[in-house]
Amino acid sequence: MLKGKHIILGITGSIAAYKSAVLCRLLVSAGAEVRVVMTPLAKQFITPLTMATLSQHPILVDFFNPENGEWNSHVKLGEWADLYLIAPASANTMAKMATGVADNLLLTTYLSARCPVAIAPAMDLDMYAHIATQRNMEQLREDGVHIIEPGTGFLASGLSGKGRMAEPEQIVEAVKALFSVKKKSLEGKHYLVTAGATIEPIDPVRFISNHSSGKMGYAIAEALSQRGARVTLISGRTALACPAGVERVDVLSARDMYEACVERFEESDGAVMCAAVADYTPVEVAEQKIKKSDDNLSLALRRTDDIAATLGQRKGHRVLVGFAMETEAEEANAQHKLERKNFDFIVLNSLREQGAGFRGDTNVVTLIDPTSAEKLPLMSKSDVAERIADKIESLNR
Ligand code: PMT
């Protein structure tokens, strides 16, 4: 898929620059032609020799070669590229990109680029969470830059949290996804997608949750985004990386998910409710770990708010798609949810079907709307997501 594609790989000053070597290698192996542009500071983190050898071309840092005055034309470079990928993108470079500062070749190339731009941020968790960084990222998103979300884990500072650059393999997948965009049929639309499992704390160490991996919801977010929609993925617990170009809002409990959805629904064109949301939550969360005793333990649970039903009441002209995870009387239960929650259509999956439901890469679903039911064969969750996107498109709202 990347054969013959021209990719500029921009590298900024971040410890994650060591991963750029593997990234460059993977892009070249996949058939891409890669030219590397580095900021002056990036050279402290990974050598130009390494990157020149892996990309099979001299790397570019300065506006001109001081030895012979040869000009490194950022304009020509920007015209040459099919994609400008900046990985790692430091907080400093993101801030400059967001405000149009052009004090190095990597940034002038950004301002000259006519191709899509993707960035893979990398920084310490507090820098990443800082309101200024988040504001810059939001600005870049609005400017059409695809953000390849960082992962959560061990950071160079010794702390652990969100800010780790996505792994090279994930970045390559995101790049392939960008090139695979065919039709921008949902351009201008904004959808919320819920995915993953919610977590209801019992005490500081225990919680109530379920088996959702997030795969189905993430595939839907990706499919809608690839059709040009702006997608906000409201994600419960999962181990998945955020699809390229999708904005992710991490939540824990059903209450958090409720607030995140309700807050954003009005300004959206609709929502796909794929998350497996807890129906009950402990009445009280113990402040300390509950000690075991020889007696049985009963937990008092209360109902959570039904997010989908709430959005259904406020739906107006928006599209609302639900899921039904059933273990018996599947169609009847799904029909009931379709009506009660005011969905345009509902995606039924049953634990009685082989290859359907939680965790796996496949699903078997029936798409049910007020007038018809279409059962699809066993297919990958990505293909199911495409069929759901087709149906959303056909609603033409
Ligand atoms: O994440 P994966 O491992 O890929 O698995 C995918 C999946 C099985 C989780 C997915 O295909 C699925 O079926 N999701 C919905 C699971 C579920 O909670 O279904 P439900 O029948 O309990 O809920 C019906 C609908 O109401 C759903 O759209 C649900 O998101 C929504 N709901 C439920 C409860 C609640 N408090 N608020 C809600 O919005």
Side-chain angles (χ1 to χ4, degrees):
M1 186 179 288
L2 299 185
K3 203 166 167 39
K5 295 288 183 211
H6 293 173
I7 298 177
I8 309 171
L9 175 57
I11 305 178
T12 71
S14 156
I15 192 71
Y18 78 93
K19 294 188 193 172
S20 305
V22 180
L23 175 59
C24 181
R25 174 59 126 202
L26 291 173
L27 292 170
V28 171
S29 307
E33 257 195 68
V34 179
R35 298 279 191 285
V36 176
V37 182
M38 297 169 82
T39 61
L41 189 59
K43 292 196 295 180
Q44 308 289 326
F45 291 91
I46 183 135
T47 72
L49 178 61
T50 304
M51 296 312 303
T53 308
L54 292 172
S55 67
Q56 300 158 7
H57 290 281
I59 61 110
L60 302 164
V61 179
D62 299 311
F63 291 111
F64 61 90
N65 181 338
E67 300 292 318
N68 57 16
E70 188 188 6
W71 183 246
N72 290 324
S73 171
H74 54 88
V75 175
K76 280 201 181 132
L77 197 59
E79 281 173 359
W80 167 85
D82 296 311
L83 176 72
Y84 189 7
L85 170 65
I86 303 175
S90 64
N92 183 43
T93 291
M94 281 170 29
K96 289 179 176 179
M97 288 168 74
T99 48
V101 174
D103 62 357
N104 62 41
L105 188 67
L106 183 142
L107 290 162
T108 49
T109 307
Y110 168 63
L111 293 180
S112 305
R114 293 182 179 170
C115 58
V117 178
I119 62 171
M123 66 203 73
D124 195 48
L125 78 164
D126 294 314
M127 286 176 81
Y128 182 74
H130 197 281
I131 190 163
T133 307
Q134 292 299 318
R135 190 171 53 231
N136 291 331
M137 278 206 332
E138 191 49 41
Q139 181 62 57
L140 289 174
R141 234 181 232 114
E142 270 180 35
D143 295 345
V145 173
H146 300 274
I147 311 242
I148 303 171
E149 289 256 341
T152 300
F154 183 72
L155 298 162
S157 60
L159 300 173
S160 188
K162 189 164 180 178
R164 234 178 112 85
M165 186 173 88
E167 295 306 317
E169 292 77 8
Q170 292 168 339
I171 297 177
V172 172
E173 282 313 305
V175 166
K176 286 183 179 167
L178 282 175
F179 281 120
S180 74
V181 175
K182 288 173 215 105
K183 37 179 188 165
K184 294 275 189 187
S185 43
L186 293 175
E187 189 121 52
K189 301 285 184 191
H190 176 202
Y191 297 110
L192 312 181
V193 177
T194 68
T198 56
I199 284 184
E200 306 304 318
I202 296 170
D203 68 16
V205 293
R206 305 179 182 96
F207 55 80
I208 298 170
S209 192
N210 60 68
H211 295 296
S212 173
S213 64
K215 285 182 182 174
M216 190 65 250
Y218 274 52
I220 295 166
E222 187 163 18
L224 295 174
S225 167
Q226 286 186 2
R227 291 178 190 218
R230 175 180 167 204
V231 179
T232 305
L233 178 58
I234 298 168
S235 176
R237 185 188 53 149
T238 100
L240 301 174
C242 185
V246 168
E247 174 196 11
R248 185 168 79 185
V249 178
D250 290 320
V251 295
L252 280 179
S253 65
R255 185 68 211 173
D256 296 342
M257 188 171 274
Y258 176 91
E259 280 166 10
C261 290
V262 167
E263 190 186 315
R264 292 167 176 82
F265 189 58
E266 199 177 319
E267 60 167 36
S268 78
D269 294 290
V272 183
M273 311 301 289
C274 186
V277 186
D279 289 319
Y280 293 91
T281 191
V283 172
E284 279 177 20
V285 180
E287 271 181 33
Q288 306 301 335
K289 182 180 172 188
I290 299 171
K291 293 287 171 211
K292 59 177 171 286
S293 70
D294 292 336
D295 295 334
N296 291 336
L297 175 72
S298 298
L299 278 177
L301 302 176
R302 64 173 165 73
R303 278 300 307 269
T304 56
D305 292 316
D306 192 313
I307 308 165
T310 306
L311 302 189
Q313 284 163 8
R314 305 174 184 189
K315 193 173 114 182
H317 62 282
R318 294 172 198 81
V319 172
L320 189 61
V321 180
F323 268 74
M325 159 49 74
E326 303 296 342
T327 56
E328 58 174 347
E330 285 87 349
E331 286 226 20
N333 286 336
Q335 282 285 358
H336 180 64
K337 287 176 186 169
L338 174 77
E339 286 157 31
R340 195 170 67 77
K341 305 197 187 198
N342 198 16
F343 292 135
D344 288 284
F345 66 94
I346 192 161
V347 184
L348 163 65
N349 45 190
S350 166
L351 278 193
R352 290 203 290 184
E353 294 268 11
Q354 277 278 338
F358 297 119
R359 287 191 173 155
D361 292 324
T362 59
N363 210 350
V364 183
V365 303
T366 306
L367 306 181
I368 304 174
D369 63 30
T371 55
S372 68
E374 181 188 9
K375 178 158 186 177
L376 305 178
L378 175 77
M379 52 174 79
S380 69
K381 283 185 175 168
S382 316
D383 286 341
V384 172
E386 292 298 336
R387 299 297 290 267
I388 292 168
D390 286 344
K391 201 161 168 75
I392 289 174
E393 241 182 83
S394 75
L395 292 172
N396 202 15
R397 272 188 245 144

